[in-house]
């Protein structure tokens, strides 16, 4: 290889094209490299079979990652400790880009002791969890999600429902079909 030659490559994690001076580089950014290693270290390689094309590069900032950021979750979990039935929580989840993301988040949760059900909604960018009280620590799970580039936050009651790009496409296809 000649010096100064730029090679166009695709990121092994997100699939986006990037330029590199060497063919040894496999990732567009350090965030993608970190998430790729995490996925493989947990034995969740099927994530790459389920995604539908190039995603978005992960933006992971480890400098401000503290479990104390989930004080709102700890309070909800303490309230649910008195319940004998499974507890439930719905959170907003940023960083979701594809079916592979949904699969990964749901499988990470279901691997935990006390997990009952996890359901990701790509349209609403939300995650619904159901778990056995006094068995599973939700804050620890949300902290693990953060290492993969997914950030959970409380769902604001003042936020109005918004349609995803997929929902808009479906609505437009139905309108065009009815018009025909």
């Amino acid at each position: 290889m000649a010096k100064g030659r730029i090679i166009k490559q695709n990121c092994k994690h997100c699939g986006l094209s990037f330029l590199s001076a060497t063919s040894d580089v496999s990732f567009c950014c350090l965030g993608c490299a970190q998430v790729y290693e995490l996925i493989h270290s947990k034995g969740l390689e099927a994530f790459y079979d389920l995604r539908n094309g190039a995603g978005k590069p992960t933006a992971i900032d480890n400098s401000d990652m503290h479990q104390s950021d989930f004080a709102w979750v700890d309070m909800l979990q303490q309230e649910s400790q008195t319940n004998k039935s499974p507890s439930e929580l719905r959170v907003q989840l940023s960083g979701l880009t594809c079916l592979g993301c949904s699969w990964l988040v749901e499988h990470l949760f279901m691997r935990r002791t006390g997990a009952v059900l996890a359901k990701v909604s790509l349209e609403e960018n939300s995650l619904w969890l159901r778990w056995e009280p006094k068995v599973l620590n939700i804050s620890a799970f949300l902290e693990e999600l953060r290492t993969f580039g997914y950030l959970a936050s409380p769902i604001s009651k003042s936020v109005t429902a918004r349609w995803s790009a997929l929902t808009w496409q479906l609505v437009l296809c139905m309108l065009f079909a009815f018009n025909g």
Side-chain angles (χ1 to χ4, degrees):
M1 179 172 79
K3 283 189 174 185
R5 185 172 175 221
I6 301 296
I7 302 167
K8 185 175 179 180
Q9 299 184 90
N10 290 330
C11 179
K12 286 175 73 174
H13 173 67
C14 71
L16 293 177
S17 295
F18 67 98
L19 301 175
S20 173
T22 68
S23 60
D24 297 348
V25 179
S26 300
F27 303 99
C28 64
C29 66
L30 291 175
C32 282
Q34 179 183 5
V35 173
Y36 182 88
E37 291 303 318
L38 280 168
I39 288 170
H40 280 74
S41 70
K42 303 245 182 214
L44 299 168
E45 295 87 3
F47 165 81
Y48 295 105
D49 298 331
L50 295 171
R51 66 186 182 151
N52 56 355
K56 297 176 185 170
T58 30
I60 297 176
D61 181 9
N62 289 326
S63 62
D64 292 331
M65 288 192 183
H66 300 290
Q67 199 166 358
S68 62
D69 293 344
F70 298 116
W72 57 274
V73 175
D74 294 335
M75 188 172 59
L76 291 171
Q77 189 160 6
Q78 285 175 355
E79 291 173 8
S80 72
Q81 298 293 12
T82 58
N83 298 340
K84 300 218 185 232
S85 62
S87 298
E88 297 179 2
L89 176 67
R90 186 167 169 248
V91 297
Q92 203 71 41
L93 197 60
S94 63
L96 299 170
T97 60
C98 64
L99 180 61
C101 293
S102 298
W103 180 89
L104 180 62
V105 169
E106 291 171 0
H107 276 72
L108 285 171
F109 182 73
M110 293 308 296
R111 288 179 160 209
R112 293 181 169 264
T113 304
V116 175
L117 183 67
K119 184 72 177 155
V120 170
S121 171
L122 289 172
E123 292 81 21
E124 298 174 354
N125 288 322
S126 66
L127 169 63
W128 179 70
L129 301 172
R130 195 166 191 201
W131 71 96
E132 293 296 328
K134 300 181 184 177
V135 178
L136 195 140
N137 182 338
I138 296 298
S139 293
F141 169 67
L142 296 180
E143 186 66 32
E144 180 183 27
L145 284 183
R146 213 178 219 187
T147 64
F148 283 87
Y150 305 110
L151 182 60
S153 58
I155 292 182
S156 172
K157 293 177 183 172
S158 64
V159 175
T160 58
R162 60 184 173 96
W163 287 2
S164 68
L166 181 63
T167 305
W168 276 110
Q169 289 174 356
L170 180 64
V171 168
L172 289 174
C173 286
M174 288 188 329
L175 286 172
F176 290 134
F178 287 126
N179 191 30

